[in-house]
Amino acid sequence: MAVRKAKIRRAKRTVRRGSPHPRAPSFLKPLFGLRSILLVLVLSFMILLFKWTRDDPIGLYHHVGNYANWDARREQVKSAFITSWDAYLDNAWGIDRYHPVSGKGSQMSPNGLGWIIVDSLDTIMLMNLTDRLAEPRKWLQRNLSYDQDQDVNTFETTIRMLGGLLSAHYLSIKLPHAASRRDFVYLAKAIELADRLLPAYESRSGIPYASVHLSKAEGIRSHADGGSSSTAEASTLQLEMKYLSYLTGNDTYWRKAERVMKVLDNNRARDGLVPIFIRLGSRGDSYYEYLVKQYLQTSGREPVYLEMWEEALEGIQKHLITKTKHSGLKFVAELPQGIGGPVSPKMDHLVCFLPGLIVLGATRGHTLSKARTWPSWDDKKEGQIQLAKDLMKTCWGMYAVTKTGLAPEIAGFHADEGDLRPAPGDRPLVPTKNSLAAWKKDYIIKPLDAHNLQRPETVESLFMMWRITEDPVYREWGWKIFKAFEKHTKAGKKQDYTSVNDVNTVPPPLRDNMESFWLAETLKYLYLLFSPTDFITLTEVVFNTEAHVLPVIEVKWPTGWSRSGQ
């Protein structure tokens, strides 16, 4: 019996020695306990990180943004442009509007003015699509005629048609690959169009008529709003007309356009905020935009416009900036009853031009790091930069909170009643809470406001913010927006791009319309956002409100007016 037990003990020792999982020595047991604890800690951290990243609307990818292949991303934007352009070329060439779902076009005038062609010229040049430039240049020379029984909007015709032709003229000189022997057509057509627009300025008040009859060259009062012209439309003609005067040596265009600014300023807007529903969305937005850009266009030689902008920005900060209830997001409210009335907690996507404009005005197009070395830089400027960052975050939120990742046309906001009292800027604004769950509680998207028209304002500001602050988060947000367009706005057999009806429905209902600013602005700004920073620098050019590129110019004539009492 004893012998048998001894054999069993030897056998067990043999099995343990030959086991693939030998028993650990006793002095190592604490290490195995520590390993288990570390494993639990790592798993817990990963779970928390996953939850945090899902609730973080800012994102993490921008921390490695400098290592992303931005050239490849830029090429994807170019590919999207080619898809849209080629579909238009095949299905609606020379026609004013294009409907991607049905694959058809429609006119805005009897014979068409080629709105999409003219609006897209400089984007084609910037993207170096030389093989696609010959056909539109030929169309301009052979088919574009202004002798049509048609009245056109003075503002839209100036920013899209005149601005597009002037930008094409400038880039054909600046970019060697865009040049040809037939480039004279751009300036020739621009001069002819401007001469037909001049009668719009022949009103008794000096404020241009809302429309012009092309063949008769007569100004026409607005068919709505009691015949009045909106502030934004009247004050967003100056960049184009001034550049044309610079090119031709004829100061008529310059003087007609700048007179508008004198008339508006003589109205003595309270705190720099112009009338017409005091708002920065449609009909009010580009007045403020062209204050900054007129100052920059003439190399800072017309300081009156910077002075007007600084007054307006202080008014915006005092009367229009307030915050949301749950996350403290800053937004630009509206004053439907004017200064002193209640604040309305809604913001058009159109207002998202403002963050980029603020940093552009503060730094004059230079990088923030350089601007901070100037003797004139102060806490006021730092406050403007912070405001731009806060508003940029809110504009990004319009995309981040929807099911498609696309922004609605208009967003409303939940806000405490106290934050909707007059002069919200007189009260302290708390820091923003970066929580997607909190953001979603704050945004209100009504069904009638849920459409997306492929608008450019947010990516326009992202481009400005990236070039000036050099923070890669703005590039990453732009990339996410582009991917949302890629995923949710393709239509038809050729998968070209269209506007959509509801950004909170997946897939979203399609509207069957491609806006010309999809090609002229949205894709252009995305392309520039992903381009090297020395390509089209903000100190050498200004972008008109349709994203057409115009050069900074030398002043040939002094400002023809001064502010009353100064």
mmCIF file of all heavy atoms in Angstrom, residues 18-64:
data_model
loop_
_atom_site.group_PDB
_atom_site.id
_atom_site.type_symbol
_atom_site.label_atom_id
_atom_site.label_comp_id
_atom_site.label_asym_id
_atom_site.label_seq_id
_atom_site.Cartn_x
_atom_site.Cartn_y
_atom_site.Cartn_z
ATOM 1 N N GLY A 18 5.686 17.965 -16.595
ATOM 2 C CA GLY A 18 5.470 17.927 -18.051
ATOM 3 C C GLY A 18 4.276 18.736 -18.515
ATOM 4 O O GLY A 18 3.983 18.774 -19.681
ATOM 5 N N SER A 19 3.562 19.327 -17.554
ATOM 6 C CA SER A 19 2.347 20.058 -17.925
ATOM 7 C C SER A 19 2.690 21.300 -18.748
ATOM 8 O O SER A 19 3.660 21.983 -18.464
ATOM 9 C CB SER A 19 1.596 20.470 -16.653
ATOM 10 O OG SER A 19 0.548 21.353 -16.986
ATOM 11 N N PRO A 20 1.874 21.619 -19.742
ATOM 12 C CA PRO A 20 2.091 22.872 -20.502
ATOM 13 C C PRO A 20 1.735 24.100 -19.668
ATOM 14 O O PRO A 20 1.978 25.207 -20.055
ATOM 15 C CB PRO A 20 1.146 22.722 -21.698
ATOM 16 C CG PRO A 20 0.074 21.809 -21.242
ATOM 17 C CD PRO A 20 0.743 20.846 -20.296
ATOM 18 N N HIS A 21 1.045 23.940 -18.583
ATOM 19 C CA HIS A 21 0.688 25.045 -17.687
ATOM 20 C C HIS A 21 1.213 24.752 -16.298
ATOM 21 O O HIS A 21 0.460 24.430 -15.368
ATOM 22 C CB HIS A 21 -0.836 25.243 -17.646
ATOM 23 C CG HIS A 21 -1.441 25.429 -19.001
ATOM 24 N ND1 HIS A 21 -1.252 26.572 -19.744
ATOM 25 C CD2 HIS A 21 -2.199 24.585 -19.757
ATOM 26 C CE1 HIS A 21 -1.898 26.445 -20.896
ATOM 27 N NE2 HIS A 21 -2.468 25.244 -20.926
ATOM 28 N N PRO A 22 2.493 24.806 -16.135
ATOM 29 C CA PRO A 22 3.080 24.472 -14.835
ATOM 30 C C PRO A 22 2.612 25.465 -13.768
ATOM 31 O O PRO A 22 2.329 26.620 -14.063
ATOM 32 C CB PRO A 22 4.581 24.610 -15.087
ATOM 33 C CG PRO A 22 4.701 25.523 -16.244
ATOM 34 C CD PRO A 22 3.508 25.240 -17.101
ATOM 35 N N ARG A 23 2.479 24.958 -12.571
ATOM 36 C CA ARG A 23 2.070 25.794 -11.452
ATOM 37 C C ARG A 23 3.158 26.816 -11.155
ATOM 38 O O ARG A 23 4.332 26.495 -11.106
ATOM 39 C CB ARG A 23 1.820 24.910 -10.229
ATOM 40 C CG ARG A 23 1.276 25.683 -9.026
ATOM 41 C CD ARG A 23 0.967 24.739 -7.883
ATOM 42 N NE ARG A 23 -0.086 23.798 -8.279
ATOM 43 C CZ ARG A 23 -0.456 22.746 -7.532
ATOM 44 N NH1 ARG A 23 0.166 22.485 -6.402
ATOM 45 N NH2 ARG A 23 -1.416 21.939 -7.939
ATOM 46 N N ALA A 24 2.716 28.092 -10.988
ATOM 47 C CA ALA A 24 3.671 29.164 -10.757
ATOM 48 C C ALA A 24 4.259 29.080 -9.370
ATOM 49 O O ALA A 24 3.578 28.657 -8.425
ATOM 50 C CB ALA A 24 2.986 30.523 -10.920
ATOM 51 N N PRO A 25 5.515 29.424 -9.239
ATOM 52 C CA PRO A 25 6.112 29.474 -7.902
ATOM 53 C C PRO A 25 5.334 30.466 -7.033
ATOM 54 O O PRO A 25 4.771 31.448 -7.515
ATOM 55 C CB PRO A 25 7.536 29.979 -8.175
ATOM 56 C CG PRO A 25 7.779 29.667 -9.602
ATOM 57 C CD PRO A 25 6.460 29.756 -10.275
ATOM 58 N N SER A 26 5.351 30.264 -5.786
ATOM 59 C CA SER A 26 4.545 31.065 -4.859
ATOM 60 C C SER A 26 4.956 32.527 -4.866
ATOM 61 O O SER A 26 4.112 33.406 -4.706
ATOM 62 C CB SER A 26 4.686 30.495 -3.437
ATOM 63 O OG SER A 26 6.058 30.504 -3.048
ATOM 64 N N PHE A 27 6.255 32.840 -5.132
ATOM 65 C CA PHE A 27 6.669 34.237 -5.086
ATOM 66 C C PHE A 27 6.166 35.052 -6.275
ATOM 67 O O PHE A 27 6.228 36.271 -6.282
ATOM 68 C CB PHE A 27 8.206 34.345 -4.982
ATOM 69 C CG PHE A 27 8.939 33.936 -6.243
ATOM 70 C CD1 PHE A 27 9.163 34.848 -7.255
ATOM 71 C CD2 PHE A 27 9.364 32.635 -6.408
ATOM 72 C CE1 PHE A 27 9.831 34.477 -8.397
ATOM 73 C CE2 PHE A 27 10.038 32.255 -7.552
ATOM 74 C CZ PHE A 27 10.280 33.170 -8.552
ATOM 75 N N LEU A 28 5.620 34.360 -7.346
ATOM 76 C CA LEU A 28 5.084 35.068 -8.504
ATOM 77 C C LEU A 28 3.584 35.303 -8.412
ATOM 78 O O LEU A 28 3.013 36.029 -9.229
ATOM 79 C CB LEU A 28 5.372 34.286 -9.793
ATOM 80 C CG LEU A 28 6.837 34.236 -10.237
ATOM 81 C CD1 LEU A 28 6.952 33.400 -11.502
ATOM 82 C CD2 LEU A 28 7.367 35.643 -10.490
ATOM 83 N N LYS A 29 2.908 34.687 -7.457
ATOM 84 C CA LYS A 29 1.455 34.821 -7.367
ATOM 85 C C LYS A 29 0.980 36.260 -7.246
ATOM 86 O O LYS A 29 -0.012 36.644 -7.864
ATOM 87 C CB LYS A 29 0.940 33.978 -6.201
ATOM 88 C CG LYS A 29 1.016 32.484 -6.475
ATOM 89 C CD LYS A 29 0.464 31.682 -5.310
ATOM 90 C CE LYS A 29 0.533 30.175 -5.607
ATOM 91 N NZ LYS A 29 0.025 29.370 -4.475
ATOM 92 N N PRO A 30 1.662 37.140 -6.492
ATOM 93 C CA PRO A 30 1.207 38.542 -6.433
ATOM 94 C C PRO A 30 1.227 39.245 -7.787
ATOM 95 O O PRO A 30 0.404 40.107 -8.058
ATOM 96 C CB PRO A 30 2.209 39.190 -5.462
ATOM 97 C CG PRO A 30 2.685 38.070 -4.624
ATOM 98 C CD PRO A 30 2.743 36.886 -5.529
ATOM 99 N N LEU A 31 2.197 38.820 -8.665
ATOM 100 C CA LEU A 31 2.276 39.458 -9.982
ATOM 101 C C LEU A 31 1.064 39.127 -10.841
ATOM 102 O O LEU A 31 0.574 39.954 -11.598
ATOM 103 C CB LEU A 31 3.559 39.035 -10.700
ATOM 104 C CG LEU A 31 4.865 39.519 -10.055
ATOM 105 C CD1 LEU A 31 6.051 39.017 -10.858
ATOM 106 C CD2 LEU A 31 4.892 41.037 -9.977
ATOM 107 N N PHE A 32 0.585 37.867 -10.722
ATOM 108 C CA PHE A 32 -0.605 37.483 -11.482
ATOM 109 C C PHE A 32 -1.827 38.249 -11.001
ATOM 110 O O PHE A 32 -2.683 38.652 -11.768
ATOM 111 C CB PHE A 32 -0.838 35.968 -11.381
ATOM 112 C CG PHE A 32 0.058 35.182 -12.291
ATOM 113 C CD1 PHE A 32 1.268 34.699 -11.844
ATOM 114 C CD2 PHE A 32 -0.300 34.957 -13.612
ATOM 115 C CE1 PHE A 32 2.103 33.982 -12.679
ATOM 116 C CE2 PHE A 32 0.534 34.237 -14.465
ATOM 117 C CZ PHE A 32 1.749 33.747 -13.996
ATOM 118 N N GLY A 33 -1.916 38.523 -9.740
ATOM 119 C CA GLY A 33 -2.999 39.338 -9.206
ATOM 120 C C GLY A 33 -2.932 40.756 -9.724
ATOM 121 O O GLY A 33 -3.946 41.357 -10.080
ATOM 122 N N LEU A 34 -1.705 41.284 -9.811
ATOM 123 C CA LEU A 34 -1.515 42.634 -10.332
ATOM 124 C C LEU A 34 -1.893 42.706 -11.807
ATOM 125 O O LEU A 34 -2.493 43.678 -12.255
ATOM 126 C CB LEU A 34 -0.047 43.049 -10.142
ATOM 127 C CG LEU A 34 0.330 44.445 -10.642
ATOM 128 C CD1 LEU A 34 -0.479 45.510 -9.915
ATOM 129 C CD2 LEU A 34 1.820 44.685 -10.446
ATOM 130 N N ARG A 35 -1.553 41.659 -12.546
ATOM 131 C CA ARG A 35 -1.896 41.634 -13.966
ATOM 132 C C ARG A 35 -3.406 41.669 -14.172
ATOM 133 O O ARG A 35 -3.929 42.343 -15.059
ATOM 134 C CB ARG A 35 -1.304 40.402 -14.630
ATOM 135 C CG ARG A 35 -1.504 40.358 -16.142
ATOM 136 C CD ARG A 35 -0.709 39.259 -16.782
ATOM 137 N NE ARG A 35 -1.207 37.950 -16.396
ATOM 138 C CZ ARG A 35 -0.700 36.794 -16.850
ATOM 139 N NH1 ARG A 35 0.346 36.814 -17.665
ATOM 140 N NH2 ARG A 35 -1.204 35.639 -16.459
ATOM 141 N N SER A 36 -4.141 40.984 -13.356
ATOM 142 C CA SER A 36 -5.601 40.976 -13.451
ATOM 143 C C SER A 36 -6.167 42.362 -13.171
ATOM 144 O O SER A 36 -7.082 42.833 -13.854
ATOM 145 C CB SER A 36 -6.178 39.962 -12.459
ATOM 146 O OG SER A 36 -5.733 38.666 -12.765
ATOM 147 N N ILE A 37 -5.582 42.995 -12.153
ATOM 148 C CA ILE A 37 -6.050 44.341 -11.811
ATOM 149 C C ILE A 37 -5.794 45.308 -12.965
ATOM 150 O O ILE A 37 -6.647 46.113 -13.338
ATOM 151 C CB ILE A 37 -5.363 44.834 -10.527
ATOM 152 C CG1 ILE A 37 -5.826 43.987 -9.336
ATOM 153 C CG2 ILE A 37 -5.657 46.304 -10.281
ATOM 154 C CD1 ILE A 37 -5.051 44.257 -8.076
ATOM 155 N N LEU A 38 -4.575 45.208 -13.542
ATOM 156 C CA LEU A 38 -4.234 46.082 -14.667
ATOM 157 C C LEU A 38 -5.154 45.846 -15.857
ATOM 158 O O LEU A 38 -5.571 46.782 -16.544
ATOM 159 C CB LEU A 38 -2.769 45.861 -15.079
ATOM 160 C CG LEU A 38 -1.721 46.425 -14.135
ATOM 161 C CD1 LEU A 38 -0.330 45.990 -14.585
ATOM 162 C CD2 LEU A 38 -1.790 47.944 -14.086
ATOM 163 N N LEU A 39 -5.483 44.558 -16.101
ATOM 164 C CA LEU A 39 -6.373 44.235 -17.207
ATOM 165 C C LEU A 39 -7.748 44.859 -17.000
ATOM 166 O O LEU A 39 -8.345 45.429 -17.923
ATOM 167 C CB LEU A 39 -6.499 42.719 -17.348
ATOM 168 C CG LEU A 39 -7.381 42.210 -18.497
ATOM 169 C CD1 LEU A 39 -6.839 42.688 -19.836
ATOM 170 C CD2 LEU A 39 -7.477 40.689 -18.468
ATOM 171 N N VAL A 40 -8.256 44.767 -15.785
ATOM 172 C CA VAL A 40 -9.551 45.366 -15.475
ATOM 173 C C VAL A 40 -9.504 46.879 -15.659
ATOM 174 O O VAL A 40 -10.416 47.488 -16.212
ATOM 175 C CB VAL A 40 -9.972 45.011 -14.033
ATOM 176 C CG1 VAL A 40 -11.211 45.815 -13.624
ATOM 177 C CG2 VAL A 40 -10.266 43.524 -13.923
ATOM 178 N N LEU A 41 -8.394 47.497 -15.197
ATOM 179 C CA LEU A 41 -8.262 48.945 -15.333
ATOM 180 C C LEU A 41 -8.222 49.364 -16.803
ATOM 181 O O LEU A 41 -8.838 50.357 -17.201
ATOM 182 C CB LEU A 41 -7.004 49.426 -14.604
ATOM 183 C CG LEU A 41 -7.063 49.386 -13.075
ATOM 184 C CD1 LEU A 41 -5.699 49.738 -12.497
ATOM 185 C CD2 LEU A 41 -8.117 50.350 -12.547
ATOM 186 N N VAL A 42 -7.454 48.617 -17.617
ATOM 187 C CA VAL A 42 -7.354 48.933 -19.038
ATOM 188 C C VAL A 42 -8.704 48.805 -19.723
ATOM 189 O O VAL A 42 -9.121 49.670 -20.501
ATOM 190 C CB VAL A 42 -6.310 48.029 -19.722
ATOM 191 C CG1 VAL A 42 -6.395 48.172 -21.238
ATOM 192 C CG2 VAL A 42 -4.905 48.376 -19.252
ATOM 193 N N LEU A 43 -9.431 47.715 -19.420
ATOM 194 C CA LEU A 43 -10.749 47.516 -20.022
ATOM 195 C C LEU A 43 -11.715 48.619 -19.594
ATOM 196 O O LEU A 43 -12.491 49.139 -20.418
ATOM 197 C CB LEU A 43 -11.302 46.141 -19.632
ATOM 198 C CG LEU A 43 -10.621 44.937 -20.286
ATOM 199 C CD1 LEU A 43 -11.159 43.640 -19.707
ATOM 200 C CD2 LEU A 43 -10.830 44.959 -21.798
ATOM 201 N N SER A 44 -11.652 48.995 -18.331
ATOM 202 C CA SER A 44 -12.524 50.058 -17.839
ATOM 203 C C SER A 44 -12.208 51.379 -18.539
ATOM 204 O O SER A 44 -13.113 52.129 -18.927
ATOM 205 C CB SER A 44 -12.349 50.225 -16.324
ATOM 206 O OG SER A 44 -12.706 49.033 -15.648
ATOM 207 N N PHE A 45 -10.901 51.656 -18.712
ATOM 208 C CA PHE A 45 -10.499 52.891 -19.404
ATOM 209 C C PHE A 45 -10.980 52.898 -20.843
ATOM 210 O O PHE A 45 -11.472 53.908 -21.343
ATOM 211 C CB PHE A 45 -8.977 53.032 -19.358
ATOM 212 C CG PHE A 45 -8.467 54.194 -20.159
ATOM 213 C CD1 PHE A 45 -8.589 55.490 -19.704
ATOM 214 C CD2 PHE A 45 -7.853 53.986 -21.399
ATOM 215 C CE1 PHE A 45 -8.133 56.569 -20.445
ATOM 216 C CE2 PHE A 45 -7.399 55.048 -22.156
ATOM 217 C CZ PHE A 45 -7.535 56.351 -21.668
ATOM 218 N N MET A 46 -10.868 51.752 -21.513
ATOM 219 C CA MET A 46 -11.300 51.670 -22.912
ATOM 220 C C MET A 46 -12.808 51.882 -23.031
ATOM 221 O O MET A 46 -13.282 52.544 -23.964
ATOM 222 C CB MET A 46 -10.893 50.332 -23.509
ATOM 223 C CG MET A 46 -9.387 50.175 -23.689
ATOM 224 S SD MET A 46 -8.904 48.578 -24.374
ATOM 225 C CE MET A 46 -9.596 48.691 -26.017
ATOM 226 N N ILE A 47 -13.575 51.338 -22.090
ATOM 227 C CA ILE A 47 -15.030 51.523 -22.114
ATOM 228 C C ILE A 47 -15.380 52.990 -21.900
ATOM 229 O O ILE A 47 -16.211 53.571 -22.613
ATOM 230 C CB ILE A 47 -15.700 50.642 -21.047
ATOM 231 C CG1 ILE A 47 -15.563 49.155 -21.428
ATOM 232 C CG2 ILE A 47 -17.174 51.017 -20.886
ATOM 233 C CD1 ILE A 47 -15.994 48.204 -20.338
ATOM 234 N N LEU A 48 -14.709 53.612 -20.915
ATOM 235 C CA LEU A 48 -14.951 55.024 -20.659
ATOM 236 C C LEU A 48 -14.549 55.886 -21.857
ATOM 237 O O LEU A 48 -15.244 56.840 -22.217
ATOM 238 C CB LEU A 48 -14.184 55.473 -19.415
ATOM 239 C CG LEU A 48 -14.711 54.959 -18.075
ATOM 240 C CD1 LEU A 48 -13.744 55.320 -16.958
ATOM 241 C CD2 LEU A 48 -16.093 55.533 -17.784
ATOM 242 N N LEU A 49 -13.398 55.538 -22.488
ATOM 243 C CA LEU A 49 -12.939 56.283 -23.657
ATOM 244 C C LEU A 49 -13.929 56.151 -24.801
ATOM 245 O O LEU A 49 -14.231 57.137 -25.495
ATOM 246 C CB LEU A 49 -11.553 55.783 -24.087
ATOM 247 C CG LEU A 49 -10.919 56.495 -25.288
ATOM 248 C CD1 LEU A 49 -10.660 57.962 -24.949
ATOM 249 C CD2 LEU A 49 -9.615 55.806 -25.692
ATOM 250 N N PHE A 50 -14.468 54.950 -24.989
ATOM 251 C CA PHE A 50 -15.440 54.730 -26.058
ATOM 252 C C PHE A 50 -16.692 55.569 -25.825
ATOM 253 O O PHE A 50 -17.199 56.221 -26.743
ATOM 254 C CB PHE A 50 -15.809 53.243 -26.123
ATOM 255 C CG PHE A 50 -16.881 52.926 -27.118
ATOM 256 C CD1 PHE A 50 -16.620 52.964 -28.484
ATOM 257 C CD2 PHE A 50 -18.165 52.594 -26.696
ATOM 258 C CE1 PHE A 50 -17.615 52.685 -29.412
ATOM 259 C CE2 PHE A 50 -19.165 52.313 -27.618
ATOM 260 C CZ PHE A 50 -18.886 52.357 -28.975
ATOM 261 N N LYS A 51 -17.168 55.555 -24.567
ATOM 262 C CA LYS A 51 -18.352 56.356 -24.253
ATOM 263 C C LYS A 51 -18.076 57.838 -24.429
ATOM 264 O O LYS A 51 -18.913 58.591 -24.937
ATOM 265 C CB LYS A 51 -18.804 56.064 -22.819
ATOM 266 C CG LYS A 51 -19.405 54.677 -22.616
ATOM 267 C CD LYS A 51 -19.872 54.502 -21.178
ATOM 268 C CE LYS A 51 -20.536 53.145 -20.989
ATOM 269 N NZ LYS A 51 -20.977 52.956 -19.576
ATOM 270 N N TRP A 52 -16.877 58.261 -24.012
ATOM 271 C CA TRP A 52 -16.542 59.682 -24.112
ATOM 272 C C TRP A 52 -16.439 60.128 -25.562
ATOM 273 O O TRP A 52 -16.947 61.178 -25.946
ATOM 274 C CB TRP A 52 -15.225 59.960 -23.382
ATOM 275 C CG TRP A 52 -14.781 61.388 -23.510
ATOM 276 C CD1 TRP A 52 -15.325 62.489 -22.916
ATOM 277 C CD2 TRP A 52 -13.695 61.873 -24.317
ATOM 278 N NE1 TRP A 52 -14.646 63.632 -23.288
ATOM 279 C CE2 TRP A 52 -13.646 63.285 -24.148
ATOM 280 C CE3 TRP A 52 -12.753 61.262 -25.139
ATOM 281 C CZ2 TRP A 52 -12.693 64.072 -24.791
ATOM 282 C CZ3 TRP A 52 -11.823 62.053 -25.782
ATOM 283 C CH2 TRP A 52 -11.789 63.437 -25.603
ATOM 284 N N THR A 53 -15.777 59.310 -26.396
ATOM 285 C CA THR A 53 -15.622 59.689 -27.801
ATOM 286 C C THR A 53 -16.965 59.709 -28.521
ATOM 287 O O THR A 53 -17.184 60.527 -29.419
ATOM 288 C CB THR A 53 -14.658 58.738 -28.524
ATOM 289 O OG1 THR A 53 -15.076 57.384 -28.329
ATOM 290 C CG2 THR A 53 -13.239 58.906 -27.989
ATOM 291 N N ARG A 54 -17.867 58.817 -28.135
ATOM 292 C CA ARG A 54 -19.198 58.826 -28.754
ATOM 293 C C ARG A 54 -19.972 60.083 -28.377
ATOM 294 O O ARG A 54 -20.824 60.544 -29.124
ATOM 295 C CB ARG A 54 -19.987 57.586 -28.330
ATOM 296 C CG ARG A 54 -19.495 56.299 -28.958
ATOM 297 C CD ARG A 54 -20.490 55.187 -28.767
ATOM 298 N NE ARG A 54 -21.718 55.449 -29.510
ATOM 299 C CZ ARG A 54 -22.796 54.644 -29.463
ATOM 300 N NH1 ARG A 54 -22.794 53.575 -28.714
ATOM 301 N NH2 ARG A 54 -23.867 54.935 -30.165
ATOM 302 N N ASP A 55 -19.669 60.641 -27.206
ATOM 303 C CA ASP A 55 -20.373 61.828 -26.745
ATOM 304 C C ASP A 55 -19.577 63.110 -26.989
ATOM 305 O O ASP A 55 -20.028 64.197 -26.638
ATOM 306 C CB ASP A 55 -20.696 61.712 -25.245
ATOM 307 C CG ASP A 55 -21.644 62.813 -24.772
ATOM 308 O OD1 ASP A 55 -22.689 63.009 -25.423
ATOM 309 O OD2 ASP A 55 -21.316 63.483 -23.774
ATOM 310 N N ASP A 56 -18.392 62.972 -27.590
ATOM 311 C CA ASP A 56 -17.545 64.143 -27.825
ATOM 312 C C ASP A 56 -17.790 64.682 -29.229
ATOM 313 O O ASP A 56 -17.409 64.038 -30.211
ATOM 314 C CB ASP A 56 -16.074 63.772 -27.654
ATOM 315 C CG ASP A 56 -15.144 64.939 -27.985
ATOM 316 O OD1 ASP A 56 -15.582 66.094 -27.818
ATOM 317 O OD2 ASP A 56 -14.006 64.695 -28.407
ATOM 318 N N PRO A 57 -18.418 65.843 -29.356
ATOM 319 C CA PRO A 57 -18.714 66.369 -30.698
ATOM 320 C C PRO A 57 -17.504 66.989 -31.384
ATOM 321 O O PRO A 57 -17.564 67.297 -32.575
ATOM 322 C CB PRO A 57 -19.780 67.441 -30.412
ATOM 323 C CG PRO A 57 -19.472 67.900 -29.025
ATOM 324 C CD PRO A 57 -18.928 66.709 -28.285
ATOM 325 N N ILE A 58 -16.423 67.180 -30.641
ATOM 326 C CA ILE A 58 -15.234 67.804 -31.220
ATOM 327 C C ILE A 58 -14.451 66.792 -32.040
ATOM 328 O O ILE A 58 -13.983 67.077 -33.138
ATOM 329 C CB ILE A 58 -14.339 68.409 -30.124
ATOM 330 C CG1 ILE A 58 -15.143 69.376 -29.256
ATOM 331 C CG2 ILE A 58 -13.137 69.104 -30.739
ATOM 332 C CD1 ILE A 58 -15.781 70.503 -30.017
ATOM 333 N N GLY A 59 -14.278 65.569 -31.519
ATOM 334 C CA GLY A 59 -13.546 64.526 -32.230
ATOM 335 C C GLY A 59 -12.101 64.448 -31.796
ATOM 336 O O GLY A 59 -11.562 65.357 -31.150
ATOM 337 N N LEU A 60 -11.465 63.330 -32.135
ATOM 338 C CA LEU A 60 -10.073 63.091 -31.763
ATOM 339 C C LEU A 60 -9.126 63.118 -32.948
ATOM 340 O O LEU A 60 -7.928 63.304 -32.783
ATOM 341 C CB LEU A 60 -9.955 61.721 -31.069
ATOM 342 C CG LEU A 60 -10.621 61.585 -29.692
ATOM 343 C CD1 LEU A 60 -10.507 60.142 -29.217
ATOM 344 C CD2 LEU A 60 -9.969 62.520 -28.683
ATOM 345 N N TYR A 61 -9.664 62.925 -34.152
ATOM 346 C CA TYR A 61 -8.793 62.740 -35.309
ATOM 347 C C TYR A 61 -7.920 63.954 -35.608
ATOM 348 O O TYR A 61 -6.858 63.825 -36.198
ATOM 349 C CB TYR A 61 -9.629 62.395 -36.553
ATOM 350 C CG TYR A 61 -10.311 61.056 -36.455
ATOM 351 C CD1 TYR A 61 -11.680 60.967 -36.236
ATOM 352 C CD2 TYR A 61 -9.585 59.872 -36.572
ATOM 353 C CE1 TYR A 61 -12.318 59.739 -36.137
ATOM 354 C CE2 TYR A 61 -10.208 58.632 -36.474
ATOM 355 C CZ TYR A 61 -11.577 58.576 -36.255
ATOM 356 O OH TYR A 61 -12.187 57.365 -36.150
ATOM 357 N N HIS A 62 -8.373 65.134 -35.164
ATOM 358 C CA HIS A 62 -7.582 66.321 -35.484
ATOM 359 C C HIS A 62 -6.242 66.329 -34.763
ATOM 360 O O HIS A 62 -5.335 67.060 -35.148
ATOM 361 C CB HIS A 62 -8.362 67.582 -35.132
ATOM 362 C CG HIS A 62 -8.681 67.737 -33.685
ATOM 363 N ND1 HIS A 62 -9.717 67.060 -33.091
ATOM 364 C CD2 HIS A 62 -8.101 68.484 -32.714
ATOM 365 C CE1 HIS A 62 -9.768 67.387 -31.812
ATOM 366 N NE2 HIS A 62 -8.806 68.247 -31.550
ATOM 367 N N HIS A 63 -6.115 65.488 -33.715
ATOM 368 C CA HIS A 63 -4.833 65.429 -33.017
ATOM 369 C C HIS A 63 -3.745 64.820 -33.910
ATOM 370 O O HIS A 63 -2.556 65.015 -33.658
ATOM 371 C CB HIS A 63 -4.964 64.629 -31.727
ATOM 372 C CG HIS A 63 -5.830 65.308 -30.695
ATOM 373 N ND1 HIS A 63 -5.513 66.537 -30.152
ATOM 374 C CD2 HIS A 63 -7.013 64.943 -30.133
ATOM 375 C CE1 HIS A 63 -6.452 66.893 -29.288
ATOM 376 N NE2 HIS A 63 -7.379 65.950 -29.256
ATOM 377 N N VAL A 64 -4.173 64.077 -34.917
ATOM 378 C CA VAL A 64 -3.204 63.516 -35.870
ATOM 379 C C VAL A 64 -3.475 64.080 -37.261
ATOM 380 O O VAL A 64 -3.089 63.489 -38.258
ATOM 381 C CB VAL A 64 -3.268 61.967 -35.885
ATOM 382 C CG1 VAL A 64 -2.785 61.405 -34.570
ATOM 383 C CG2 VAL A 64 -4.692 61.468 -36.182
#
